[in-house]
């Protein structure tokens, strides 16, 4: 009878499994160090949105699973090219009374004309007294029109479409 094939010793099996475990451990430590370096470089960018991706990697050999987590930092949004204007608005409603310089900016405004069939009335005044002597200029529009207003004046509009700053 021929000799039976030799079974590997338990000691050899432990060495083989131990070596696979050690390789997996070194891979995990290497991955962890490279992630720490990436985080250190990204920390100078300031608070930004972060995306985390987790991926499982299978290593050939005995069932060993290494999990790698990487955090990617998104670039912050770019600021708008034109700064948002500060101060009074550059568009006012077609019906109202506005103090130029506080409730609307000084300058030239335009309107599309009457908001309905009853016409569009506008008025520039020295003050809000309502007195006839306070009127600097006024008019009735049947179509589109323009009016220039100065700081400190009162601008009144009735039955008009919105006034938008033109210059």
């Amino acid at each position: 009878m021929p000799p039976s094939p030799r079974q590997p010793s338990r000691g050899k099996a432990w060495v083989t499994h131990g070596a696979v475990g050690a390789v997996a451990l070194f891979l995990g430590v290497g991955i962890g160090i490279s992630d720490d370096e990436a985080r250190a470089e990204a920390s100078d960018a300031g608070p930004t949105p972060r995306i985390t991706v987790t991926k499982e990697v299978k290593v050939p050999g005995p069932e060993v699973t290494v999990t790698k987590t990487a955090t990617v930092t998104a670039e912050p949004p770019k600021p708008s090219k034109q700064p948002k204007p500060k101060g009074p608005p550059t568009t006012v409603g077609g019906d109202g009374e506005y103090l130029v310089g506080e409730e609307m900016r000084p300058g030239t405004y335009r309107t599309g004309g009457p908001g309905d069939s009853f016409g569009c009335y506008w008025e520039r005044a020295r003050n809000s007294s309502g007195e006839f002597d306070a009127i600097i200029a006024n008019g009735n529009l049947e179509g589109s029109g323009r009016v220039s207003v100065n700081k400190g004046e009162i601008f009144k509009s009735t039955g008009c479409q919105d006034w938008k700053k033109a210059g």
Side-chain angles (χ1 to χ4, degrees):
M1 172 183 282
S4 66
R6 235 175 154 196
Q7 296 289 333
S9 69
R10 286 188 180 258
K12 244 184 179 180
W14 281 107
V15 170
T16 304
H17 292 306
V20 170
V23 169
L25 176 65
F26 286 122
L27 282 174
V29 169
I31 291 169
I33 289 172
S34 68
D35 280 351
D36 289 342
E37 290 171 1
R39 282 190 202 110
E41 290 173 10
S43 67
D44 296 337
T48 55
R50 293 180 178 261
I51 300 170
T52 301
V53 178
T54 303
K55 180 179 180 183
E56 289 190 13
V57 179
K58 295 229 178 194
V59 177
E63 239 357 90
V64 176
T65 301
V66 177
T67 301
K68 178 184 177 192
T69 301
T71 301
V72 179
T73 303
E75 289 187 30
K78 294 180 182 179
S80 173
K81 290 184 181 180
Q82 293 181 354
K84 192 173 186 181
K86 295 181 181 178
T90 57
T91 300
V92 294
D95 286 314
E97 185 173 303
Y98 308 96
L99 176 59
V100 180
E102 288 186 22
E103 298 173 314
M104 68 186 290
R105 292 180 186 226
T108 301
Y109 287 78
R110 61 183 163 78
T111 183
D116 55 30
S117 61
F118 295 111
C120 167
Y121 172 78
W122 63 268
E123 176 182 303
R124 290 176 48 215
R126 288 179 185 52
N127 58 47
S128 60
S129 67
E131 299 292 324
F132 185 73
D133 293 353
I135 297 174
I136 300 169
N138 66 353
N140 288 302
L141 298 175
E142 293 181 16
S144 63
R146 292 178 180 257
V147 175
S148 294
V149 294
N150 301 307
K151 185 174 182 179
E153 293 179 351
I154 301 294
F155 177 70
K156 298 178 185 177
S157 175
T158 306
C160 303
Q161 295 179 34
D162 288 351
W163 293 86
K164 296 179 183 175
K165 194 165 188 307

